[in-house]
Amino acid sequence: MDVTLLGTGAPQGLPRPGCPCAACATAVGDEARAATALLVDGALMIDLTPGPAFAAARAGQSLTGVRQVLLSHPHDGPVMEVPAGLPQPGRVADGRELALLDGHRVRAVAVDIPGTGYEISGATGERLLYLPPGAAPAGPANGNGRTAGGGGTSGTGPYDLVLLDVAARPDALAKLRASGAVDAATDVVAVHIDHDVPPGPELHRRLAAVGARAVPDGSTLVVGEFHAVPDLPRRTLVLGGARSGKSVEAERRLAAFPDVVYVATGGTRDGDQDWAQRVSLHRERRPGSWRTVETCDLVPLLEAARPGADAARPAAEAGASGTEPGRTGTEAEAPGTEAEGAGAGRAGETSPLLIECLALWLTHVMDDVGAWDDATWEAGGRRALRERTDALVAAVRQTHRTVVAVSNEVGSGVVPATPAGRRFRDELGRLNAAFGAECEQLLLVVAGQALVLRG
């Protein structure tokens, strides 16, 4: 089954008509995109794009064999004319199937916004899923390749190809992964691309980080044909200064994956309104399906997915005692989160971890070992801190979990005025270097832009 993408952009296209933004100004060449439309085996057309006959001709295709035109969403872009000779566009009711004479079967999939997704099966069993702009499958994923409620995905295993609005709805991809509809071999292609993400290398970098790709208008994809899926790093360290966008970058990298465990190392600060506001902003930005564990005991979390590591799993995941003092239950008030302590439940031992952040973890450990006092530091605090950081780095090296960690880059500013400040700066630099050495990918975020240092 061949799928030709006559367009890959948002309904208004990219660049948007009359839009002066930087993304639209730089959307030229292969990064200029017409409204998304699909031509399947020259016989089935999904959605319309401006000048579809010319778009097909540019891709080396013809519309003369089209027997069915289906729409997936209310069209709010430029006026579309149906070329002479094409059937009038229609929709399929959610959950209903349409059998075409050439052997294709089309099943309408319910989505969570006005519109319809389409599951298309070829005569030889290949399967693809196409979702309209800004849409995710309706209903919660139940883990068997089907979403709860009528009109979910068919449940016959993972799709060969999925086309969806990855940039705007990474949670849709997370839901498909959770249900088994997308696995490591599924070719995930971003469509409905708009001006919210800078075109060119930044778009492709962001998509590759979540296991997806984008192709130019006019590309023809062979459903079921092997395609190199982007190699996802198991361990990533995201560095940056204050308010640089490092947390947003880290969260973006896991937004398309299910069952993420957010590890908050900051704890609470009674009476600190600024800190409370920061925590609140982080909570609001995170997907509601993520779970939160508040702890600085990172080693057991990293070891949890190792064979035979059950005895070492952390109290935060096991619901046992032994949580960090002063770090129990702060995040439990937010929807979709878990607190530490009794009754917290056990987080998935293979769930991806987002650790926020190493600088706060180091502050906690330096408190524990008395590193702020010069005498204590020289009498054994230095050695105790090295043991704790070495244990963390060793756990990162051995972990089987996907890990994205955030840390502050503090070595480029002014020299701290106090010995304790200089000690923290130096130790954080050493920790970042050692932790980063064990990561497949290392990023530095400056002014919201992620610079790839490695990977």
Side-chain angles (χ1 to χ4, degrees), residues 39 56 76 142 241 251-252 264 267 287 306 310 318 443:
L39 181 63
D76 58 358
N142 62 16
E251 292 162 9
R252 185 187 293 131
R306 287 170 46 193
D310 183 72
L443 305 175

Side-chain angles (χ1 to χ4, degrees), residues 42-44 63-69 87 100:
L44 170 65
L63 301 184
T64 57
V66 173
R67 297 292 178 264
Q68 185 78 51
V69 179
L100 304 184

Side-chain angles (χ1 to χ4, degrees), residues 12-396:
Q12 296 186 35
L14 183 69
R16 289 191 176 194
C19 180
C21 78
C24 288
T26 55
V28 296
D30 285 347
E31 301 302 329
R33 304 175 186 275
T36 297
L38 278 59
L39 181 63
V40 182
D41 285 338
L44 170 65
M45 189 169 177
I46 308 290
D47 285 335
L48 292 170
T49 193
F54 292 106
R58 285 194 298 269
Q61 303 288 336
S62 170
L63 301 184
T64 57
V66 173
R67 297 292 178 264
Q68 185 78 51
V69 179
L70 298 176
L71 299 180
S72 73
H73 61 97
H75 191 77
D76 58 358
V79 175
M80 300 289 184
E81 293 186 6
V82 181
L86 282 187
Q88 282 300 307
R91 297 270 290 271
V92 180
D94 291 346
R96 300 292 296 274
E97 285 195 5
L98 176 68
L100 304 184
L101 293 178
D102 60 358
H104 294 96
R105 297 187 71 85
V106 181
R107 182 174 181 273
V109 176
V111 294
D112 60 358
I113 63 170
T116 304
Y118 292 110
E119 176 186 290
I120 304 170
S121 302
T124 56
E126 307 95 337
R127 297 167 61 242
L128 71 86
L129 176 67
Y130 171 73
L131 297 179
N142 62 16
N144 64 359
R146 189 181 186 91
T147 53
T153 55
S154 68
T156 57
Y159 292 104
D160 298 296
L161 171 66
V162 170
L163 303 118
L164 77 163
D165 194 347
V166 179
R169 290 298 302 272
D171 59 307
L173 182 52
K175 180 179 286 189
L176 291 169
R177 283 177 166 141
S179 71
V182 168
D183 68 4
T186 302
D187 189 10
V188 179
V189 176
V191 290
H192 313 301
I193 296 168
D194 207 348
H195 64 175
D196 298 321
V197 180
E202 177 64 9
L203 169 67
H204 298 288
R205 183 193 71 80
R206 291 190 190 184
L207 292 175
V210 297
R213 64 187 180 114
V215 297
D217 287 6
S219 298
T220 295
L221 310 176
V222 179
V223 182
E225 181 180 67
F226 172 78
H227 185 276
V229 177
D231 188 19
L232 300 176
R234 179 180 297 169
R235 291 154 290 213
T236 301
L237 177 61
V238 182
L239 298 170
R243 303 294 190 179
S244 62
K246 60 186 182 297
S247 296
V248 172
E249 172 66 27
E251 292 162 9
R252 185 187 293 131
R253 299 181 74 82
L254 291 178
F257 296 91
D259 302 323
V260 174
V261 176
Y262 182 93
V263 184
T265 62
T268 60
R269 300 182 184 181
D270 293 339
D272 190 333
Q273 294 301 315
D274 179 68
W275 181 256
Q277 184 180 23
R278 287 175 181 241
V279 171
S280 177
L281 289 173
H282 278 254
R283 286 178 182 169
E284 292 171 3
R285 199 170 57 219
R286 295 198 294 268
S289 61
W290 286 14
R291 291 163 290 169
T292 298
V293 173
E294 284 209 358
T295 185
C296 283
D297 196 8
L298 301 182
V299 171
L301 281 166
L302 294 165
E303 292 178 340
R306 287 170 46 193
D310 183 72
R313 64 187 172 89
E317 294 195 307
S321 59
T323 61
E324 294 289 341
R327 286 176 163 77
T328 301
T330 305
E331 295 281 344
E333 298 172 3
T337 61
E338 288 190 355
E340 290 186 289
R346 180 175 180 176
E349 291 187 345
T350 59
S351 299
L353 297 180
L354 197 163
I355 300 173
E356 173 95 11
C357 70
L358 295 183
L360 294 172
W361 176 86
L362 180 65
T363 301
H364 171 80
V365 174
M366 291 181 74
D367 287 343
D368 278 355
V369 303
W372 311 112
D373 180 76
D374 291 344
T376 305
W377 175 249
E378 296 298 335
R382 186 199 307 271
R383 182 178 64 256
L385 181 62
R386 293 286 187 275
E387 290 173 354
R388 297 279 289 273
T389 56
D390 288 350
L392 176 61
V393 171
V396 173

